[in-house]
Amino acid sequence: MERVLAKAAEVLIIEASVDDLDRADARRTVVSGQAMTELVRLLAVVDGGTGDRCRCRGWPTILVFDTTGREIAQWSLHHQTGIRGLGNCDADLRDGPALTDWLAERGLTRSREVQQMLAQQATEEEARRGEWVKAAPSDLAQPAEAASHRETDAEDRLAELVAQRYPDPMKRILMLVAWAGFPARHTTTMGGTPWYELAPQRMVLAEPTELILDVLTRAPLTPSELDGAAELFTSFAWTTSPHTDIPESLKSALIAHVTATGTDPMKFQMRHGYGAELTE
């Protein structure tokens, strides 16, 4: 990068992806003269460092021109932490936050806004992860913590411990179903459900279908168990496999529970799943 910038007479930075450079409302700044020295420092990358291989375009776009006005390089910032355009993947910036601040000082504030948004999302996701671990039975807290960090084989170890600590199938399924209801009541600005949160549901689905339905129809379910059952019976894994129909008594209990206390996503899933007849 230093060799390229040493030949540059001017650098144009546009707050847009390479596909939107002509957008009239895209903020832009021109760098030349003494300011080039500072830009060279801010665009320094980690030697041999390879960043994200995500194929999104990235922005802002950095256009480098020589003394004749010829474009000699085109780069883009990727996730505000790397430079795209140097090879087949990103090169990590040595100091992404410093570049973000420098751009903001020149009116290109979107990178800073995105970084603030990502920081907020990371805080929310970490809080949610901690709540999920707390929602586990206390004797499963340690393996649940490992699973939430996606440690190697952590979910397998969690499943083995569940089988050991809960040998009675009824108690095991009810515990897992209640835990599986966690995503229904916990959302963040990112949306979606983290993969690790589906571990209890995956363990339930490993049980025989007849046993699952028998356990869930034996006695009135708690609100948490109803949440988990509602999530289970609208999950992709359940709806795309040839499972036995849900007993009418259980279906009625779920419809009443979700109708009375469910979140909007729960109600949407219900209307397109076990409660489809409500819209007919």
Side-chain angles (χ1 to χ4, degrees):
M1 289 188 69
E2 289 183 9
R3 288 195 298 270
V4 173
L5 291 172
K7 303 174 185 177
E10 182 178 280
V11 174
L12 173 62
I13 305 176
I14 306 173
E15 201 166 53
S17 71
V18 295
D19 297 324
D20 295 318
L21 298 184
D22 294 331
R23 207 179 71 223
D25 63 342
R27 295 177 181 177
R28 57 195 67 211
T29 187
V30 176
V31 183
S32 60
Q34 291 298 317
M36 292 289 291
T37 302
E38 180 69 1
L39 182 60
V40 170
R41 183 185 70 80
L42 292 168
L43 291 180
V45 298
V46 177
D47 292 338
T50 299
D52 201 332
R53 291 177 180 269
C54 168
R55 301 316 301 167
C56 73
R57 290 292 197 173
W59 51 265
T61 299
I62 303 170
L63 305 176
V64 185
F65 300 93
D66 65 13
T67 54
T68 68
R70 180 174 63 94
E71 182 181 310
I72 57 176
Q74 182 184 98
W75 306 319
S76 61
L77 288 186
H78 199 223
H79 300 177
Q80 281 60 57
T81 60
I83 291 287
R84 168 146 299 169
L86 303 181
N88 64 355
C89 57
D90 293 354
D92 293 318
L93 288 167
R94 290 183 182 175
D95 193 349
L99 179 58
T100 294
D101 290 341
W102 183 87
L103 290 169
E105 290 170 1
R106 285 154 181 78
L108 278 65
T109 59
R110 192 176 169 206
S111 291
R112 175 182 285 175
E113 292 163 358
V114 168
Q115 288 300 304
Q116 291 171 342
M117 178 190 70
L118 292 175
Q120 178 185 348
Q121 290 174 346
T123 299
E124 291 178 352
E125 293 297 327
E126 176 57 21
R128 174 171 171 163
R129 187 198 64 78
E131 290 298 317
W132 181 79
V133 173
K134 289 180 182 178
S138 58
D139 57 347
L140 299 178
Q142 186 172 352
E145 180 79 21
S148 73
H149 287 297
R150 304 292 296 275
E151 294 181 12
T152 303
D153 299 326
E155 187 172 327
D156 290 337
R157 296 195 300 273
L158 175 60
E160 290 173 1
L161 190 58
V162 165
Q164 294 171 10
R165 299 283 175 84
Y166 297 85
D168 179 82
M170 183 171 185
K171 292 181 179 178
R172 181 174 63 248
I173 290 174
L174 287 176
M175 179 277 291
L176 289 171
V177 167
W179 194 10
F182 179 91
R185 305 286 177 176
H186 294 77
T187 58
T188 59
T189 54
M190 280 289 287
T193 301
W195 177 255
Y196 64 81
E197 286 186 10
L198 297 176
Q201 186 180 100
R202 287 190 286 271
M203 284 183 267
V204 173
L205 289 168
E207 303 280 355
T209 300
E210 294 76 12
L211 179 59
I212 296 171
L213 295 175
D214 179 57
V215 168
L216 296 180
T217 53
R218 281 191 187 185
L221 301 178
T222 67
S224 294
E225 291 165 353
L226 287 166
D227 282 350
E231 290 290 290
L232 175 68
F233 296 132
T234 56
S235 68
F236 182 78
W238 179 276
T239 58
T240 57
S241 58
H243 287 299
T244 305
D245 289 340
I246 305 170
E248 286 301 321
S249 60
L250 179 56
K251 185 185 295 186
S252 296
L254 290 173
I255 291 173
H257 171 71
V258 172
T259 299
T261 69
T263 63
D264 288 342
M266 291 173 70
K267 292 176 181 177
F268 176 85
Q269 291 170 202
M270 175 188 70
R271 290 192 297 270
H272 290 80
Y274 56 85
E277 65 271 15
L278 297 178
T279 60
E280 294 177 355

